[in-house]
Amino acid sequence: MKTIKSMMDHMYWADGVILDALERSGTKNKELLKLVRHVAIAERVWLLRLNGKGSAKYSLWEEAEDPTALRTMFEENAKQYQLYIEGLDQSQLDEMINYANQSGVPFRTSVRDILLQVLLHGQYHRGQINRALRSESAEPAPVDYIKFARL
């Protein structure tokens, strides 16, 4: 449980660092902003599933133009994940969650695997976001876990 909590803290931090870099860049790149929004929405969708709620109303790939709105989404996600994690104990990590994906296909996955999906999915896309920032001659954001651990 300690490792997952630490990795979740890293996710909240890394989301903020990426948003800071995005704002500093002043980018208007619609594909880049769409990717950032995708990370925020995916975090939200998985949280809804963990809480036994449907997520069909969310589209994972929509355009976004307002970095401030994106920051608000990430901050709300962080608050909700913190509440969820605070109420979670080690024995619940192996509980199975029934949910449907965005296409309505049913799945059954453990809490542990869902949390790991959220963590790894975000890190994967933060790498893509950094690459896109670099291609626009903007400064990429250092979001490696070790950077966070050294704070």
Side-chain angles (χ1 to χ4, degrees):
M1 200 58 203
K2 181 180 175 185
T3 299
I4 287 180
K5 286 180 178 180
S6 182
M7 290 175 70
M8 293 299 291
D9 288 341
H10 169 259
M11 181 184 80
Y12 314 139
W13 170 83
D15 286 344
V17 170
I18 282 288
L19 288 167
D20 292 345
L22 188 72
E23 288 172 356
R24 277 192 308 275
S25 76
T27 187
K28 301 294 183 212
N29 180 322
K30 289 185 179 193
E31 287 304 309
L32 175 54
L33 294 171
K34 185 179 189 178
L35 182 58
V36 175
R37 181 194 174 277
H38 169 76
V39 175
I41 291 298
E43 286 178 10
R44 181 160 298 168
V45 161
W46 283 112
L47 184 62
L48 287 167
R49 292 170 182 167
L50 285 165
N51 285 306
K53 298 178 182 172
S55 61
K57 71 179 183 176
Y58 290 100
S59 172
L60 291 170
W61 292 104
E62 284 184 8
E63 287 190 8
E65 296 186 18
D66 182 7
T68 303
L70 292 171
R71 184 175 294 278
T72 300
M73 289 170 57
F74 278 109
E75 288 172 353
E76 180 61 26
N77 288 346
K79 287 178 196 170
Q80 295 304 313
Y81 270 105
Q82 287 166 344
L83 287 172
Y84 179 81
I85 295 294
E86 283 175 17
L88 193 65
D89 65 44
Q90 184 74 28
S91 66
Q92 294 172 299
L93 289 173
D94 294 318
E95 286 183 7
M96 299 302 286
I97 303 291
N98 295 307
Y99 62 93
N101 70 6
Q102 298 314 97
S103 300
V105 178
F107 288 94
R108 184 172 166 84
T109 307
S110 72
V111 169
R112 179 188 319 273
D113 287 340
I114 289 172
L115 291 173
L116 289 172
Q117 166 61 24
V118 171
L119 292 162
L120 296 172
H121 176 262
Q123 193 65 358
Y124 169 76
H125 285 308
R126 283 188 290 275
Q128 291 178 315
I129 293 162
N130 267 333
R131 182 178 176 145
L133 285 169
R134 180 172 277 132
S135 73
E136 292 189 0
S137 299
E139 188 67 30
V143 293
D144 285 344
Y145 181 83
I146 196 66
K147 173 120 175 128
F148 166 76
R150 290 174 179 156
L151 294 176

